[in-house]
Amino acid sequence: MALTSWKAFRFFDVSQVRLPGGDGSVSLDQGNVSCVTAGPNNIFVGTPNGTVHLLDQTFKPARSWRAHDASVTHVKQVPDTSYLLTLSEDLSHEPELKVWSLEQTEKKSGQPKSLSSIIVQNGRKNFPVTGFTVTSDLAQLAVGFANGAVTVVRGDFVHDRGTKQRTVFESEEPITGLEFREANSTSLYIATTSHVRALAITGKAQGTPARTLDEHGCAVGCMTLDPHSNEIIVARDDAIYTYGPRGKAASYAYEGAKKLVSVSKDYVLIVSPPKSNFTTAAALRAFGGTQAEDILNSSSFTVLNTDLKFIAHSEALSNQVNSILSIWGDIFLLTSDGKLYRYHEKTFQQKLEILYRLNLYVLAISLAQKYKIDAVQQNVIFRRYGDYLYQKGDYDTAMQQYLRAINNTEPSQIIRKFLDNQHLHNLIEYLEALHEEGKATSDSTTLLLNCYAKLKDVDKLEAFIKQPGDLKFDLDTAIVMCRQGGYYDQAAFLARRHNEHSLVVDILIEDLKKYAEAMAYIVRLDPKDAYQNIMKYGTVLLEYCPLEATQLFIDYFTGQYRPRKDAVIVQEAPVQQESGGFGTAARSAVQNLAALIPLPSMSMTTAASDGQGTTTNQTQVVETTSPGDFIEYEVSKPRVAFSAFIDHPDQFVTFLEALIDSEDVKAEQKTELYTTLFEIYLHQASSSRAEEKTEWERKARQLIEAKNVPIDTSNVLLLSDLEKFRDGTILVSERQGLRFDVFRSYTTAHDTRGAIRALHKYGPDEPQLYPAALAYLTSSPQILQEAGDEVEAVLKKIDEDGLMAPLQVIQTLSTNAVATMGLVKHYLSLTVKRERDDIAANRRLIASYRSDTAQKAQDIADLATSPVSFSATRCSSCGMTLDLPTVHFLCKHSFHQRCLGIMDGREAEEEAECPVCAPQISAVRQIRRAQEESAGRHDVFRDALGRSGDRWATVAEWFGRGIMGGGGG
């Protein structure tokens, strides 16, 4: 490739170095310098008088010493060491070589220590040294001469233990360059004016003649080693060549004479002499004088990047260049007039700005990759290149650049460029890359799926959602967009793949309306997921799959739920399905579901492989169960499932009855189950026709009549009242002894026959039912007619037991116009007759009391005014004949004094009482005393009056006790 096709830039800033002047400074003009070379940290200057100067970054001599007696023509520092080699020659003697240690110094002079010194032999032929090189381990060095000889010196140069020299190559052509190439073996590359050869120094080929690599040589100073590629670079007038172990490696056409070649970093540095022939030069000198001389002495300096094939810098210099130095990160050129020019490479960003201005983005990318610039900076280049291509209308190539910069680019900036319909394929490509890199947002996913939908590209949509590996997009967004676009199968597959079971069921039910398939999917989930789905979709499933859904509820809440398992069987012939029946429908649903998405018990890999079977085989999903399928789980309270059975009472009854019969349901939870089942029975009865109503009421009655049924009586009463279920109210009232409430429930319902039955059943134990029955039976003509003769029986019972006063009966019957005189005529006649008989008896008793009182009063008067005769002859105590002293009492009883134990004395006799009458007298006294005490207890009187049913009788009783006497207040 010719350099004319290479882009040329000015990637280096050029400045002339101001060299220090005055004493101690080193002049670098051609007359004072015999050689100049650069080491890792210093510049070494050899002078014609044999002195070596070590210059620092200020270009002042840090160290100077007399190395040789003759001119120092070559100086070289061994890479990565402190060893310095100097070579001196004067053409009257063979060259002298010395090895110095820059780290060690002589004690007396302070100059670097000389480690060894040898005379390089050339067969006693005094020819100038034209080539000089050394190996990196300082084990060998080579010196080339103008007579075509090459001498290799081996030995211990550091410890001066002796060396061996041998002329390894001789030629009639002068040596123009020497370089060691060190790899598995060491080769010495030898350049002459007309050949380039390689000579094995070590390895299996050692001792063989030099191998010719090229039939063309080079000038002195036009061969060097590239330390990075370990290749030899040769600059000739027609081109620049590189040589490797197998010969010529590459070449770059570059016409023109070459004076110097060097390598700095990734650059090849070329110094060319002025381009002029002899006739033109003579004419210029004759015509132009000094100015023409300057033109003729000018040189060109070119910096090449051979990897990326561009010219990094190129310029013409007014003077001849003697040396190229690469040190301290810069390039220095020393001209023949002693001027030193610094070439400082621009920063990478500055180079980019130059390339941006020239729209050379490809080169900018190559440059960034060459120097391994960080990914962020490279992405900036890709993005700018993409913008450039976009402006030119090359949208496809622009998108490729945007894709390369995807990691550090705001996606919205790119997306906005490709939103129109003409560039949808580019937009899809970018959005897919965003998902692949894991940088997609929910909006990106939405946009990508919208693009698929707009293009109706189902294949790409399928590939997107079914791509293997980790999820690279927002799952929820993708599912939502698929559902909105009508791609329900894809949405279901996506949800199933990522085990979003609730979404799978939601899609099957809400979108696809595949209720049987949803049911088949749920029963294959683990208990936790199955519970969440039946609680969310239970009502819908009970509507469309009542039997399966009810059984699922029963299995789960009785703790017997087992996920169903499936096996995939590939058969050569289709399986004959049974016709009709629930089993057929269930199998069909499972087959349909398995064709849509993998079942929960099947892996995605298995399902995918099943879907790729041949057309001759048929795949059937066979359900399997085993005892090991049970997964222990915590059963929720059954009440949480009640809401799912709204509008499905028959299934609810089945569910409740199954849970009540199950031994796995906790006893404390059955109270609620019984109560709810009782309520459902009553609800069904109230909403059913006669025959069904009777059956539901029978079930309700049978439920609450059973023993040990944990239903709260208050709930039974409340529910029975709400649903007008009298049997429930009656049963509870009977159990609690609330017979009056039972009777009242019949009367409230105007059930006369039931009220009469309750009266006959509870009346003997609850007499107060008869007054209530009388009021009810006479409350309306219809009820009175239904009661028949029962009213007379009630009146008779009230009369016989005195349950109501006649006046109360009359008041009760007079509340309305239902009861007639004919109804109560017999009762009233009996009551009047009885009252008249009572009055007559009371009058006779009063007369008797009056007669007795008058007689008692007369007796008292007689005792007080008339004498009393005592005719008793025997003692009332001992029964013996009375003898004196004798004691007689007015009660006609007589006693011996000794029998009464009375001492002699009148007072004792007066205090004596008749022993026979004493108990009666004592009882009367106590009664009287009690009456006198109670006469002052008005609070007791008021309490008795308040509790009395007949206040007049109570007043009469207390009047008889003397409450109105003088003892009262």
Side-chain angles (χ1 to χ4, degrees), residues 390 399 411-428 431 447 451 454:
Y390 183 86
M399 177 52 68
S412 60
Q413 298 176 359
I414 310 303
I415 291 172
R416 281 195 293 267
K417 295 177 181 290
F418 296 91
L419 283 177
D420 58 280
N421 293 334
Q422 296 178 355
H423 304 139
L424 278 184
H425 66 283
N426 298 123
L427 181 58
I428 289 175
L431 293 172
L447 185 57
C451 292
K454 184 172 291 187

Side-chain angles (χ1 to χ4, degrees), residues 766-788:
E766 291 287 341
Q768 293 301 320
L769 289 177
Y770 290 97
L774 178 63
Y776 169 70
L777 295 176
T778 59
S779 60
S780 71
Q782 182 180 357
I783 295 175
L784 181 62
Q785 184 179 0
E786 293 177 355

Side-chain angles (χ1 to χ4, degrees), residues 36 47 71 85 104 144 195 264 276 281 285 341 429 469 489 493 534 614 618 646 667 695 717 925 956 959:
V36 179
T47 63
S71 175
L85 282 69
Q104 303 178 34
H195 292 86
S264 177
S276 60
R285 286 190 177 93
Y341 295 92
E429 186 179 11
D489 293 352
F493 179 88
I534 62 174
T614 60
Q618 292 193 5
I646 295 176
E695 178 62 22
L717 286 174
R925 287 175 179 171
F959 186 81

Side-chain angles (χ1 to χ4, degrees), residues 767-771 794 797-805 808:
Q768 293 301 320
L769 289 177
Y770 290 97
V794 171
K797 183 65 175 179
I798 291 174
D799 184 48
E800 290 176 352
D801 294 347
L803 300 178
M804 295 178 68
Q808 292 176 323

Side-chain angles (χ1 to χ4, degrees), residues 402-514:
Y402 289 139
L403 292 176
R404 298 175 73 181
I406 196 169
N407 289 328
N408 299 99
T409 303
E410 173 57 40
S412 60
Q413 298 176 359
I414 310 303
I415 291 172
R416 281 195 293 267
K417 295 177 181 290
F418 296 91
L419 283 177
D420 58 280
N421 293 334
Q422 296 178 355
H423 304 139
L424 278 184
H425 66 283
N426 298 123
L427 181 58
I428 289 175
E429 186 179 11
Y430 187 76
L431 293 172
E432 288 176 342
L434 283 178
H435 287 83
E436 186 68 27
E437 295 294 328
K439 297 185 176 298
T441 63
S442 58
D443 292 336
S444 304
T445 304
T446 301
L447 185 57
L448 178 58
L449 296 177
N450 278 331
C451 292
Y452 288 149
K454 184 172 291 187
L455 296 178
K456 301 185 182 306
D457 195 339
V458 180
D459 293 337
K460 274 199 171 184
L461 176 61
E462 290 273 355
F464 176 73
I465 66 174
K466 294 182 179 181
Q467 58 184 308
D470 297 334
L471 184 66
K472 297 176 181 178
F473 50 85
D474 185 76
L475 178 63
D476 294 336
T477 301
I479 293 175
V480 169
M481 292 308 302
C482 286
R483 296 178 71 176
Q484 290 180 353
Y487 299 103
Y488 303 126
D489 293 352
Q490 289 78 7
F493 179 88
L494 198 57
R496 167 62 189 95
R497 177 180 178 182
H498 298 282
N499 294 324
E500 295 291 340
H501 302 302
S502 295
L503 284 174
V504 174
V505 177
D506 188 69
I507 294 168
L508 291 172
I509 292 176
E510 301 295 341
D511 299 328
L512 296 172
K513 309 299 181 184
K514 295 183 177 181

Side-chain angles (χ1 to χ4, degrees), residues 818-890:
V818 176
T820 61
M821 285 301 297
L823 180 65
V824 295
K825 181 179 179 180
H826 181 66
Y827 170 76
L828 291 177
S829 64
L830 292 177
T831 301
V832 171
K833 181 179 182 301
R834 186 174 60 253
E835 290 293 334
R836 288 176 178 175
D837 292 343
D838 289 342
I839 292 172
N842 288 336
R843 286 176 177 175
R844 287 193 299 270
L845 185 60
I846 291 171
S848 175
Y849 283 160
R850 286 177 177 174
S851 175
D852 291 343
T853 302
Q855 182 63 40
K856 294 296 180 183
Q858 183 61 41
D859 290 343
I860 292 172
D862 291 344
L863 290 175
T865 59
S866 301
V868 178
S869 62
F870 300 97
S871 58
T873 60
R874 290 184 179 276
C875 177
S876 298
S877 175
C878 65
M880 299 294 290
T881 304
L882 292 174
D883 56 7
L884 297 178
T886 303
V887 179
H888 300 280
F889 292 95
L890 293 177

Side-chain angles (χ1 to χ4, degrees), residues 264-324:
S264 177
K265 301 179 182 176
D266 294 331
Y267 299 111
V268 176
L269 313 179
I270 303 293
V271 174
S272 301
K275 299 178 181 179
S276 60
N277 54 43
F278 179 80
T279 303
T280 304
L284 284 174
R285 286 190 177 93
F287 179 78
T290 305
Q291 295 180 352
E293 190 69 24
D294 292 339
I295 295 175
L296 292 173
N297 291 332
S298 64
S299 301
S300 64
F301 175 58
T302 306
V303 180
L304 304 178
N305 189 314
T306 56
D307 289 340
L308 301 181
K309 298 179 176 56
F310 68 87
I311 301 173
H313 188 83
S314 179
E315 69 170 335
L317 299 172
S318 60
N319 293 297
Q320 294 286 344
V321 177
N322 289 342
S323 300
I324 303 175

